[in-house]
Amino acid sequence: MLISSLLARSSLVNAPLRLSRFFTQARRVYKEEEPTAPPSPTTEQPGQKYTHFGSKTVLKSTKQKLVGDVFSSVANRYDLMNDVMSLGIHRLWKEHFINKLDAGKRPNSTTPLNFIDVAGGSGDIAFGLLDHAESKFGDNESTMDIVDINADMLKEGEKRAMEQGKYFKDPRVRFLVSNGEVLEEIESDSKDIYTVSFGIRNFTDIQKGLNTAYRVLKPGGMFYCLEFSKIENPLMDLAYQQWAKVLPVMGSMIANDYDSYQYLVESIERFPDQETFKSMIEKAGFKSAGYESLTFGVCAIHWGIKV
Ligand SMILES: COc1cc(O)cc(C/C=C(\C)CC/C=C(\C)CC/C=C(\C)CC/C=C(\C)CC/C=C(\C)CCC=C(C)C)c1O
Ligand SMILES: C[S@@+](CC[C@H](N)C(=O)[O-])C[C@H]1O[C@@H](n2cnc3c(N)ncnc32)[C@H](O)[C@@H]1O
């Protein structure tokens, strides 16, 4: 446990790797739209026509489809790719996230919690949260909505539930295809805990997603997000620049998919730093917002409370 958290909080330093792109393969082509000043996640205006898809500027209306293609493509190799790309460290981040949130119906309470895990296709966070609630608090009543815009990713989560013999066709657990920016099926003020892990970076309008998180939470409800962030140490950042170059090559070798992992790298680069994202959470209305950087800031946990 100690070693796990040390690993998650510090880092493994590899000799910088320099691999050039040596695979020729069918590439998805993203139709470039007329170039405009690229919006930033914080300055994006509601009426704006264009947004980013990785480093490309695309019509807002096309981004959802492009992100959909990426996750349909990676769905069946998702776990393997994450283990390889992160040397297994993503599991430690997720474990730390779940333990830090420490959610579940307390034994002296009569009211189960309503969880929502947005962009939760793989089920990693949702199942982990329910396991934690049960093992730590004996809570087997709280409910979980696992929401994802991509049906293929949700199917992976359902498959996992079936394989592990837990949370499949469980009346407490719903799998919903829905856009986290809107969550139209989810009533306002209805959830106690909102989680999103490695998902919000892919939203077309991140601020809209945060506003929606605020809408669906009950007063007193908690927002918790695990997402890539900015590496604070320049030497580690240099190591990242090298590692990031290799990720699409790994995607090509293991999943025959260079482009999705190139998108991953570009979307990480575009995501706001810790302080900027915190101010977006505050802008949505959350109080007591804060964050914890993990592994030198490779990723961070952000939170906020709806008062
Ligand atoms: C297409 O979109 C995606 C596809 C997918 O399979 C996963 C995601 C979401 C991502 C995850 C759940 C985690 C995946 C992990 C990584 C991308 C790599 C994270 C990197 C590390 C834990 C560091 C390991 C590398 C080293 C020790 C070498 C030295 C490098 C650094 C210290 C910095 C490396 C930092 C980054 C690569 C960010 C998805 O959206
Ligand atoms: C990298 S995966 C994260 C899965 C899981 N939460 C985890 O931590 O392993 C990103 C997920 O975000 C989903 N996603 C992207 N845009 C979304 C949106 N607007 N609404 C809901 N889900 C979205 C994708 O379909 C994909 O399943």
Side-chain angles (χ1 to χ4, degrees):
M1 187 57 211
L2 180 65
I3 294 174
S4 298
S5 45
L6 278 176
L7 271 176
R9 284 150 188 275
S10 66
S11 183
L12 300 168
V13 186
N14 270 358
L17 297 168
R18 283 186 184 277
L19 289 181
S20 58
R21 192 172 144 208
F22 53 93
F23 295 96
T24 41
Q25 61 175 70
R27 306 282 313 275
R28 279 197 295 279
V29 177
Y30 308 115
K31 188 170 175 291
E32 294 285 342
E33 302 296 337
E34 58 191 76
T36 58
S40 87
T42 43
T43 58
E44 205 161 321
Q45 300 302 313
Q48 205 162 314
K49 244 173 105 183
Y50 296 95
T51 188
H52 280 285
F53 175 72
S55 64
K56 299 165 186 74
T57 301
V58 297
L59 275 175
K60 268 189 167 178
S61 50
T62 12
K63 173 157 176 173
Q64 201 169 304
K65 158 90 175 65
L66 294 173
V67 169
D69 289 349
V70 164
F71 287 102
S72 291
S73 168
V74 304
N76 65 348
R77 292 293 175 105
Y78 185 73
D79 280 343
L80 173 65
M81 278 305 297
N82 291 348
D83 284 340
V84 174
M85 291 188 298
S86 73
L87 312 176
I89 296 172
H90 77 106
R91 292 178 187 268
L92 305 176
W93 292 335
K94 287 173 180 171
E95 197 182 299
H96 180 65
F97 179 78
I98 289 163
N99 289 332
K100 188 178 173 86
L101 181 52
D102 200 25
K105 179 176 95 64
R106 300 311 197 247
N108 59 355
S109 162
T110 50
T111 327
L113 300 179
N114 295 324
F115 288 89
I116 181 166
D117 184 40
V118 176
S122 67
D124 278 6
I125 298 297
F127 302 151
L129 285 168
L130 290 175
D131 284 347
H132 179 93
E134 183 165 22
S135 63
K136 184 142 181 210
F137 306 111
D139 172 12
N140 54 13
E141 291 174 77
S142 291
T143 68
M144 174 68 73
D145 281 348
I146 307 176
V147 179
D148 201 290
I149 203 166
N150 189 302
D152 292 321
M153 284 294 289
L154 273 182
K155 270 187 220 137
E156 284 301 308
E158 278 194 281
K159 195 171 111 196
R160 188 175 304 174
M162 198 165 64
E163 284 164 2
Q164 71 190 13
K166 214 173 171 192
Y167 309 127
F168 184 66
K169 296 204 189 297
D170 180 334
R172 292 198 293 141
V173 179
R174 287 199 300 175
F175 292 86
L176 290 175
V177 177
S178 184
N179 184 348
E181 289 168 44
V182 188
L183 296 178
E184 59 187 4
E185 304 81 351
I186 309 295
E187 255 181 69
S188 299
D189 302 329
S190 65
K191 301 294 177 189
D192 298 285
I193 309 282
Y194 175 113
T195 51
V196 58
S197 157
F198 298 112
I200 206 160
R201 178 174 37 88
N202 303 291
F203 286 16
T204 304
D205 187 338
I206 294 169
Q207 189 64 55
K208 194 172 168 189
L210 292 171
N211 298 345
T212 296
Y214 190 85
R215 176 184 70 75
V216 301
L217 278 166
K218 294 175 186 172
M222 291 255 358
F223 167 83
Y224 241 64
C225 173
L226 175 62
E227 190 50 271
F228 287 105
S229 206
K230 290 289 171 267
I231 299 173
E232 292 134 348
N233 176 309
L235 268 179
M236 291 315 298
D237 195 36
L238 195 67
Y240 160 70
Q241 302 299 338
Q242 308 311 314
W243 190 248
K245 283 180 195 158
V246 187
L247 297 181
V249 179
M250 289 177 185
S252 178
M253 288 170 78
I254 299 166
N256 192 33
D257 185 348
Y258 184 98
D259 291 341
S260 294
Y261 295 92
Q262 181 62 34
Y263 162 73
L264 168 63
V265 172
E266 290 168 357
S267 68
I268 292 170
E269 274 165 18
R270 284 212 62 77
F271 194 69
D273 63 29
Q274 286 84 336
E275 281 295 328
T276 309
F277 189 50
K278 181 179 162 215
S279 59
M280 292 171 77
I281 292 168
E282 285 165 342
K283 192 174 170 194
F286 289 103
K287 303 291 181 221
S288 306
Y291 63 84
E292 178 190 359
S293 295
L294 305 179
T295 317
F296 296 101
V298 171
C299 69
I301 297 173
H302 277 80
W303 59 84
I305 303 176
K306 175 168 171 177
V307 180

